[in-house]
Each structure stands twice: as C-alpha cells, then as structure tokens.
Amino acid sequence: MNAASRPDPVLRLASASPRRRELLASIGVTVEVAPSDIDESRLDGESPEHFVSRLARHKAEAGQAGSALPTLGADTVVVCDDTIFGKPEDEAHAREMLMTLSGREHRVLSAVTVLGPLGMVESRVSTRVVMRRIDEAEAAAYWTTGEPLDKAGGYAIQGLASIFVEHLEGSYSAVVGLPLAETAALLRAQGVSLWGGALPDVGSSGGAS
C-alpha cells in the first residue's frame, strides 16, 4: 500500500513502541505516532499499580498536545516481589533479571489511558506469568539475539523467550504491551472505530452497550 492510499489515523499513540503499534493495527486502528517524553522515575513508596497507571496517564497527557485525535498512553512493567523490572541497562542486568524470574511466578502490569471526547478513561490489567527454570547458558545465549534490549523484564513473550513461559493467567496481549480487550473498550467509548470501521459503533445496532 502506498502512502497516498493509507487510511487516515484515527488515534494518536503516545508511544514509540512498535509492539503497541502492531497490536493496534491488528484490531484495525491506524495511528499517528507521537512519543511522549516524561520522567519515568518511581515515586518513594509508590505501589507498582499506581506507578504503571500514573505513567500511562502522563504519557497520554503529554502526547495529546496539538492533536484533535483521541490519544492513547500505555505502560507495562514486570513485577517480582514488589520489585519493578524495567528495560535492561546492559547484558549483566538483562541476565540478572532473567535468572531472578527463572523458575518463579511474576506479574505483568499493563495500564492504558485514552484521552478523548469523554475526557480520560483508563484501565489496568494484571497478568500472572510462570517461567520454567532457565540456566545461565540460555540466559547468555538469549542476550546475543538482541531481543531483550528494549523489553520490560528483559524478555519478549511473543518472541524467542516464548520457550521460557510455562504458564500464563490473564491477558497475553498485555504482556506483549497492550491489553487488547480492555483497550478496545476504551477506544470505542471514545468513538474510535475498530476493525477499520467494520465494527458497529457503541450504541448502534449490533454494537456494544
């Protein structure tokens, strides 16, 4: 498809994440990408739940500037023993995080905020993930693939690290970066068309109520 025939964006995405863009495209939502630059430091005593929701909210607010489109901000973190695992700083950090998650259960928190005609609507999802035991050689080999570089927790469930995941309870797409069922509900509430406009709008015949 050439540039002239691409559909107009129906949403501003306040994120540079290619995974979020791909997830939105999978439900027929064309976006205008406007990465937000905010302070992502955790506040003293802040819970992981409050932290991830606050960042999603601030990203949406920062990304909305100058646009009439509804704006989506999102954040995803890996939490183990109340410790937030962000993106790895280097190889040692990535291997340390993966070995900490090895053979254990952790949570992935994913928060979404959409600013639009209704003001601010938001949702947060917690997904339980259980990793099998991972040995040091596997962790080292995984780093050489380049996949862990920009991933929360240092792994990509949709990629090569899928072989490490023993069990998942909750939203798979949230672990990738965006809980699609919850996001779709927020978008429809703000009047954003899904499935490229093929899905009836909220309140119309056959639509959600």
Side-chain angles (χ1 to χ4, degrees):
M1 182 183 292
N2 60 45
S5 60
R6 289 195 188 110
D8 292 334
V10 295
L11 178 72
R12 175 172 271 207
L13 175 61
S15 170
S17 166
R19 292 167 296 282
R20 293 195 178 111
R21 188 167 65 249
E22 289 162 4
L23 285 167
L24 287 165
S26 75
I27 58 172
V29 176
T30 305
V31 302
E32 169 185 280
V33 176
S36 55
D37 183 19
I38 65 166
D39 181 359
E40 299 192 23
S41 303
R42 188 178 180 184
L43 303 177
D44 290 342
E46 186 174 32
S47 70
E49 290 81 4
H50 187 273
F51 172 72
V52 72
S53 293
R54 179 174 61 83
L55 290 193
R57 195 176 305 127
H58 288 180
K59 287 178 181 180
E61 291 170 338
Q64 188 186 44
S67 177
L69 291 174
T71 302
L72 184 148
D75 197 68
T76 300
V77 296
V78 170
V79 183
C80 187
D81 295 334
D82 202 44
T83 298
I84 293 176
F85 289 9
K87 298 174 183 178
E89 298 168 2
D90 52 29
E91 179 181 359
H93 188 210
R95 291 171 64 174
E96 178 187 1
M97 287 195 292
L98 200 56
M99 296 311 297
T100 300
L101 300 177
S102 170
R104 301 187 61 195
E105 171 186 325
H106 64 271
R107 292 182 299 147
V108 178
L109 299 176
S110 191
V112 185
T113 297
V114 180
L115 296 177
L118 293 183
M120 179 183 292
V121 294
E122 51 192 339
S123 183
R124 185 180 64 237
V125 173
S126 178
T127 302
R128 175 175 169 262
V129 181
V130 179
M131 292 280 202
R132 68 162 171 81
R133 292 200 174 276
I134 303 166
D135 63 38
E136 292 278 2
E138 285 180 305
Y142 183 52
W143 171 260
T144 67
T145 69
E147 192 173 88
L149 283 170
D150 63 341
K151 311 298 190 302
Y155 75 92
I157 193 171
Q158 74 278 17
L160 299 171
S162 60
I163 68 169
F164 300 148
V165 178
E166 213 167 57
H167 180 75
L168 183 147
E169 186 177 309
S171 170
Y172 172 83
S173 65
V175 182
V176 178
L178 200 64
L180 283 180
E182 293 77 9
T183 298
L186 298 180
L187 293 176
R188 296 187 76 192
Q190 295 284 29
V192 176
S193 296
L194 307 182
W195 295 359
L199 188 67
D201 293 335
V202 173
S204 66
S205 176
S209 59

